Amino acid sequence: MEKKHISTLLNYSQPGHSNLEFVDINVLDDQALFIDPCLIEIQQGAWYKNATNLLDNFFNEF
């Protein structure tokens, strides 16, 4: 099956997880992606605080 990643769709010059602020998934296939919210919650910094709020809001609505 052909692979097409988000970085390709957005024309990023340097694809791959280490070069991006997001997971560069294949959009043509299902992904088994698991995020541990506890590991995000215990980190320090504004990005982690915002991510924790987003995850909390998502699961509260869900």
Side-chain angles (χ1 to χ4, degrees), residues 8-27:
T8 304
L9 294 173
L10 297 175
N11 295 319
Y12 276 61
S13 60
Q14 293 182 315
H17 306 300
S18 61
N19 299 312
L20 304 170
E21 292 185 12
F22 55 86
V23 179
D24 196 17
I25 63 168
N26 176 7
V27 297

Side-chain angles (χ1 to χ4, degrees), residues 18-57:
S18 61
N19 299 312
L20 304 170
E21 292 185 12
F22 55 86
V23 179
D24 196 17
I25 63 168
N26 176 7
V27 297
L28 299 177
D29 197 12
D30 287 337
Q31 303 295 305
L33 175 64
F34 304 95
I35 298 172
D36 186 344
C38 294
L39 290 177
I40 294 172
E41 186 175 15
I42 64 172
Q43 301 298 317
Q44 300 295 316
W47 188 93
Y48 297 104
K49 184 175 181 175
N50 186 48
T52 298
N53 288 336
L54 289 170
L55 288 167
D56 287 345
N57 290 338

